[in-house]
Amino acid sequence: MPVWLKNARFYEIYPQSFYDTNGDGIGDFDGIIAKLDYIKQLGFNALWINPCFLSPFMDAGYDVQDYYKVAPRYGTNEDLYRLFDQAHSRGIRVILDLVPGHTSDQCEWFKQSKLPYRNEYSDRYIWSSNAWDRPAGYSWVAGNADRDGCYMLNFFLSQPALNYGFNKITHPEWQISYTDPRVAGTLQAMMDVMRFWLDHGADGFRVDMADSLVKNDDDKSATASLWRKVRAMLDKDYPQTVIVSEWCNAPRSINQAGFHCDFLLDHWTKMVHKAFRNVNEQGVNKSYFCKTAHVSAADMLGDYLVELQQTRGNGYISVISGNHDTDRIARYLDESELRLAYTFLFTLPGVPFFYYGDEIGMRYLPQHSKEGGFQRTGSRTPMQWDSALPNMGFSSAPQDKLYLDVDRSADAPNVADQAADGNSLLNFVRQLNVLRSGCEDLQADAELAVMYCSDDGVLCYRRGNSVAVAFNPTDAERTLPYAADDVLFQTGKATVTGLQTVLAPQTAVVFTLK
Ligand code: NOJ
């Protein structure tokens, strides 16, 4: 296990929207380099950059055309290597996005696979037995190649599924076992891609749709066995690099497949959703951190605590503030609620991931879909660096040339204003980073044990042996049956009376245990 993960705090950058240095209206690598000092001052020590490879951008780069070449809109491969160096010189690690389940239909591998004669890439994708054969239960494209077959999709129309074989064989005429040497080349090709970027300075990968490799693999055991090979390669040759899965099933991802971290995504049964974005069909916000929700934390914590226990010692659950697929957290929680939600995020075990702009409470900005974003587009808008119109410090391009429109409403939050205000949300996030990085019991490995969880919304948990964290997210006063008298950090107000602590509305307090 890479040691640095113990105190890693990741910041996710959607590169299109972070900072544009050449005035073409879209973010670039030099823009990320220019803002590394900002990220460091904010307190993050690791970055995840969304896919930045050559792509027709039918899915914002999750449709890779060439795994070995960056997209010219961001710069050159050499610029990315420089970004690695510049980040490393500031103590910041950088992980890239690996998309192993599919490529773009413009990828050279796929162009070869479409040819009507056998070649090295014929088995690299999944083809049915002829152009009329579209077996039920899968997503196919028919009539789009000279090859006599239909090809399987992994996500959008432009993303044919790479072939890692099948676990349960139901159609022997076209399905190949995941153990068959004919599909071994796919995993080998992906490991070669990983080696290339690791050799050039990347510190690991966030792995897109990590559970999607082997088909007909209900218990994911075959997919896990492939990731174990990847993990063995990393353990042997790149022991300080990490793989973080988009899986959202920690026992499978961590225990079975060998990922170092697994994302806890905004799935409606999961803790991240119940804590931050739980709006019911009537539009009522029942998120634990919504001040009017008044819900017990027990339901929210549910299987998170179980998965934490099951994976303890093997890897980390990564709780996210949001990501490029999820509605901005500020769509559901106001600023005072965000402070409590972020205190929660930064005091949980595992490795936290924070989405760019959430430190200033960037809003969800509805607009037309761009590059396969659809409703996700509103969470991908340009970073608001200052209040200068028209582009809020993001770019010098004319307003109508921006990749996405920027939030230029009069009260749109921005970095410059918040950096200058000691009480801002941005400075609150900075303080949380300082708190966590200076206290081992708040970091990845320390155990979490719930000390108190009441029906009226109070939650208190112990981290390691020395620290406890208590929350009253509601808009009413609450009482905690412990004396929180050695306060390390607080938002709101905690008042100790004898063996109890009165928590004013919307209070979070981190205190030392005697
Ligand atoms: C998950 C990614 O986060 C998302 O943005 C993408 O569209 C799909 N996987 C397909 O790659």
Side-chain angles (χ1 to χ4, degrees):
M1 182 66 67
V3 203
W4 62 272
L5 270 185
K6 287 178 188 298
N7 191 18
R9 302 170 308 280
F10 273 88
Y11 188 80
E12 178 191 347
I13 291 182
Y14 186 73
Q16 289 90 325
S17 293
F18 198 55
Y19 187 49
D20 170 23
T21 55
N22 63 357
D24 62 355
I26 190 161
D28 42 51
F29 293 135
D30 274 338
I32 299 176
I33 293 172
K35 298 295 183 185
L36 286 172
D37 286 332
Y38 166 76
I39 294 163
K40 187 176 168 70
Q41 275 168 22
L42 192 54
F44 291 96
N45 58 8
L47 293 179
W48 156 32
I49 304 176
N50 290 111
C52 50
F53 311 106
L54 191 69
S55 167
F57 289 98
M58 297 301 288
D59 183 14
Y62 283 94
D63 46 331
V64 178
Q65 184 175 345
D66 186 340
Y67 288 92
Y68 290 96
K69 194 173 182 316
V70 303
R73 55 166 61 172
Y74 304 124
T76 61
N77 279 20
E78 283 65 32
D79 293 332
L80 181 54
Y81 308 154
R82 193 158 44 81
L83 195 167
F84 295 146
D85 283 347
Q86 290 289 317
H88 292 160
S89 70
R90 291 166 175 81
I92 298 173
R93 318 260 171 171
V94 184
I95 68 169
L96 299 177
D97 214 311
L98 183 75
V99 188
H102 47 265
T103 66
S104 157
D105 57 8
Q106 301 305 307
C107 179
E108 191 54 36
W109 300 350
F110 187 62
K111 289 182 181 164
Q112 295 289 320
S113 200
K114 283 170 88 174
L115 295 173
Y117 50 85
R118 277 204 70 79
N119 61 60
E120 189 189 338
Y121 298 95
S122 298
D123 295 320
R124 182 65 58 90
Y125 297 83
I126 304 174
W127 293 85
S128 68
S129 48
N130 65 65
W132 316 107
D133 180 24
R134 278 183 273 185
Y138 310 94
S139 198
W140 298 103
V141 174
N144 193 31
D146 286 335
R147 177 171 174 166
D148 189 11
C150 305
Y151 59 87
M152 193 186 285
L153 297 177
N154 214 35
F155 200 67
F156 286 156
L157 179 64
S158 61
Q159 292 162 317
L162 282 162
N163 193 1
Y164 295 87
F166 286 71
N167 190 349
K168 200 166 85 194
I169 305 281
T170 51
H171 294 74
E173 67 281 12
W174 57 271
Q175 294 173 348
I176 302 176
S177 165
Y178 72 100
T179 57
D180 192 302
R182 282 175 292 170
V183 294
T186 313
L187 186 66
Q188 193 51 55
M190 214 42 74
M191 290 207 274
D192 290 346
V193 168
M194 294 174 82
R195 283 182 178 280
F196 177 83
W197 290 106
L198 296 174
D199 288 341
H200 282 96
D203 296 290
F205 300 92
R206 174 270 192 183
V207 179
D208 184 68
M209 293 172 66
D211 65 336
S212 75
L213 304 194
V214 177
K215 308 303 182 201
N216 289 2
D217 186 27
D218 293 346
D219 66 0
K220 302 291 174 189
S221 56
T223 297
S225 73
L226 299 189
W227 285 118
R228 277 279 165 202
K229 293 184 185 171
V230 173
R231 175 67 188 265
M233 182 268 282
L234 295 181
D235 284 352
K236 181 169 160 289
D237 295 337
Y238 304 90
Q240 285 305 312
T241 64
V242 305
I243 42 174
V244 182
S245 60
E246 188 199 31
W247 194 313
C248 201
N249 184 327
R252 279 187 178 169
S253 155
I254 292 170
N255 296 350
Q256 281 180 249
F259 278 89
H260 300 98
C261 305
D262 181 43
F263 279 118
L264 190 56
L265 298 169
D266 179 45
H267 292 177
W268 68 276
T269 59
K270 294 287 190 176
M271 187 266 271
V272 165
H273 182 79
K274 292 180 176 178
F276 306 147
R277 293 178 179 79
N278 193 11
V279 172
N280 69 18
E281 279 166 9
Q282 290 72 44
V284 181
N285 193 338
K286 300 305 270 179
S287 309
Y288 174 71
F289 286 103
C290 171
K291 55 180 168 287
T292 53
H294 291 222
V295 291
S296 160
D299 179 49
M300 163 189 83
L301 291 173
D303 58 359
Y304 169 70
L305 296 179
V306 176
E307 294 196 358
L308 206 54
Q309 203 52 41
Q310 288 170 337
T311 53
R312 191 160 164 69
N314 297 336
Y316 303 117
I317 297 179
S318 282
V319 177
I320 61 172
S321 67
N323 70 15
H324 61 288
D325 293 332
T326 309
D327 279 5
R328 283 274 179 195
I329 189 169
R331 195 174 196 189
Y332 300 90
L333 302 177
D334 67 20
E335 195 195 309
S336 60
E337 292 164 338
L338 286 179
R339 288 178 190 244
L340 273 74
Y342 294 168
T343 306
F344 182 63
L345 184 85
F346 279 94
T347 58
L348 290 174
V351 177
F353 275 71
F354 202 83
Y355 189 46
Y356 83 96
D358 283 347
E359 69 272 32
I360 53 170
M362 260 175 75
R363 300 168 184 152
Y364 181 88
L365 191 71
Q367 54 190 288
H368 292 306
S369 179
K370 178 88 171 193
E371 299 187 339
F374 305 103
Q375 101 291 349
R376 306 175 293 184
T377 309
S379 299
R380 300 175 174 184
T381 59
M383 181 75 162
Q384 296 135 216
W385 291 104
D386 57 40
S387 58
L389 292 171
N391 298 336
M392 309 293 275
F394 164 69
S395 166
S396 61
Q399 186 177 327
D400 62 352
K401 291 281 180 294
L402 289 195
Y403 169 77
L404 284 176
D405 207 7
V406 67
D407 184 356
R408 56 178 70 84
S409 42
D411 59 348
N414 71 75
V415 169
D417 287 353
Q418 292 203 20
D421 172 2
N423 291 321
S424 65
L425 187 62
L426 182 149
N427 275 307
F428 187 78
V429 170
R430 179 177 295 157
Q431 288 157 20
L432 283 169
N433 268 308
V434 170
L435 172 76
R436 185 176 174 105
S437 74
C439 176
E440 210 178 317
D441 269 350
L442 288 175
Q443 295 169 10
D445 285 321
E447 184 198 10
L448 180 150
V450 173
M451 294 165 62
Y452 184 71
C453 180
S454 70
D455 287 345
D456 65 1
V458 178
L459 170 66
C460 180
Y461 47 81
R462 177 172 58 75
R463 291 296 321 279
N465 293 322
S466 69
V467 200
V469 190
F471 296 92
N472 168 20
T474 75
D475 53 7
E477 192 175 277
R478 297 282 187 251
T479 303
L480 175 74
Y482 294 95
D485 51 9
D486 209 352
V487 171
L488 289 175
F489 183 89
Q490 71 175 309
T491 176
K493 191 163 172 19
T495 313
V496 178
T497 53
L499 293 176
Q500 298 190 328
T501 304
V502 176
L503 301 173
Q506 295 200 278
T507 291
V509 57
V510 182
F511 58 100
T512 308
L513 288 169
K514 297 248 169 70

